[in-house]
Amino acid sequence: MTIPVETGGTSRKAKLTIDRDGSLQLKAAPDVEQAELEHFLASKRDWIYRKLAEKESLHYEPVTKELVDGEGFLYLGRSYQLRIVDIDDRRVRLQRGKLNLPRALADPGYKHVIAWYRTAGLTWLKPRAKDWAKRLRVDPQMIEVADLGNKWGSALPDGRVRIHWATMQLRPALVEYVLAHELAHLREAHHGPTFWQLLTRAMTDCDQRKAELANTGAALWHGDQAQLS
Ligand SMILES: [Zn+2]
């Protein structure tokens, strides 16, 4: 069953609603032409994004993690179990499907886990940034992985592109969406039609990726540690 929670636009012949789970419902009279529907949808695009973004902020509940054996951490869309290991190492490592945290770093080890996201993330992002920069014909000066608060990424006029380490928990297609989106800002600072045209030319399914990001993004860990009660 779907429960419409927001009614977006109505035209004489079509009606667009967003359900509680973020899915879109388009109802149209049988005689409406495909082109007319596409035009109607395109005209509602800003409304859709705004509503999906509001939904995300309304439903946001901080995800907390405990630094104990077996706690799951997402990386590029897959979950890896944490394992506290008794080894003389000063780094968190992903090995044989486990995220190994040396016991000496376990308190307050979440800093070290975040440091791992930043290092691993940067290694993953660099070649992809090169690739997307080429397609978007931009010239980034530096790619960084940082804590950006409630933003997925940022692009500065001096050519620095930053990606939130929490983004690295998403599946690769969505991380690449965030990356390409920020790189596109090096050519177009604002979210106007030119920006979306530029991004859509390079990434034809960017609309779907954006909607999926709005839906799943709030469920990611942002570095909060579970409070011991
Ligand atoms: Zn943007």
Side-chain angles (χ1 to χ4, degrees):
M1 193 180 72
T2 57
I3 311 150
V5 289
E6 301 275 0
T7 301
T10 24
S11 75
R12 210 160 37 81
K13 292 171 172 173
K15 184 179 174 185
L16 181 66
T17 54
I18 298 183
D19 292 347
R20 203 179 297 264
D21 65 357
S23 62
L24 299 176
Q25 299 278 327
L26 179 63
K27 285 189 184 130
D31 61 330
V32 184
E33 299 282 335
Q34 173 90 14
E36 216 179 322
L37 275 184
E38 278 169 13
H39 184 261
F40 171 67
L41 264 186
S43 73
K44 294 297 160 207
R45 182 146 104 167
D46 285 350
W47 178 84
I48 295 168
Y49 291 152
R50 202 171 60 242
K51 285 299 166 189
L52 288 175
E54 279 171 17
K55 209 170 275 304
E56 183 182 353
S57 54
L58 284 175
H59 289 235
Y60 178 74
E61 264 178 57
V63 174
T64 58
K65 294 286 181 194
E66 274 186 83
L67 290 167
V68 294
D69 272 324
E71 178 72 286
F73 285 86
L74 287 169
Y75 180 63
L76 295 171
R78 290 186 56 189
S79 182
Y80 295 96
Q81 281 187 357
L82 187 76
R83 195 166 58 173
I84 313 272
V85 286
D86 288 301
I87 47 166
D88 188 20
D89 196 349
R90 304 300 299 168
R91 285 173 62 191
V92 174
R93 291 176 203 274
L94 184 62
Q95 276 170 333
R96 290 190 289 277
K98 303 273 185 194
L99 193 61
N100 289 335
L101 174 68
R103 191 175 301 279
L105 305 181
D107 183 32
Y110 70 105
K111 273 187 212 152
H112 299 283
V113 175
I114 291 170
W116 172 78
Y117 274 108
R118 293 178 63 162
T119 318
L122 189 61
T123 307
W124 191 88
L125 286 165
K126 269 186 169 167
R128 284 154 185 94
K130 233 180 189 170
D131 214 44
W132 284 107
K134 214 168 163 185
R135 286 191 225 184
L136 291 157
R137 280 185 251 130
V138 294
D139 186 21
Q141 295 304 302
M142 193 190 277
I143 306 290
E144 294 171 319
V145 185
D147 191 325
L148 303 176
N150 58 4
K151 285 195 289 187
W152 295 115
S154 74
L156 299 171
D158 67 2
R160 255 192 305 160
V161 166
R162 290 186 297 176
I163 305 295
H164 197 310
W165 64 262
T167 304
M168 298 313 302
Q169 294 168 91
L170 296 162
R171 68 186 184 92
L174 300 190
V175 183
E176 292 203 34
Y177 168 75
V178 175
L179 179 63
H181 179 120
E182 296 308 332
L183 286 166
H185 275 312
L186 295 181
R187 259 175 73 185
E188 276 299 323
H190 304 292
H191 293 143
T194 326
F195 174 84
W196 293 114
Q197 269 163 27
L198 171 68
L199 190 56
T200 307
R201 261 204 309 273
M203 183 184 269
T204 49
D205 62 343
C206 71
D207 280 8
Q208 286 99 302
R209 297 196 205 196
K210 187 179 167 85
E212 190 185 330
L213 177 66
N215 260 337
T216 58
L220 299 186
W221 181 54
H222 278 74
D224 304 292
Q225 200 168 12
Q227 297 295 314
L228 298 173
S229 53

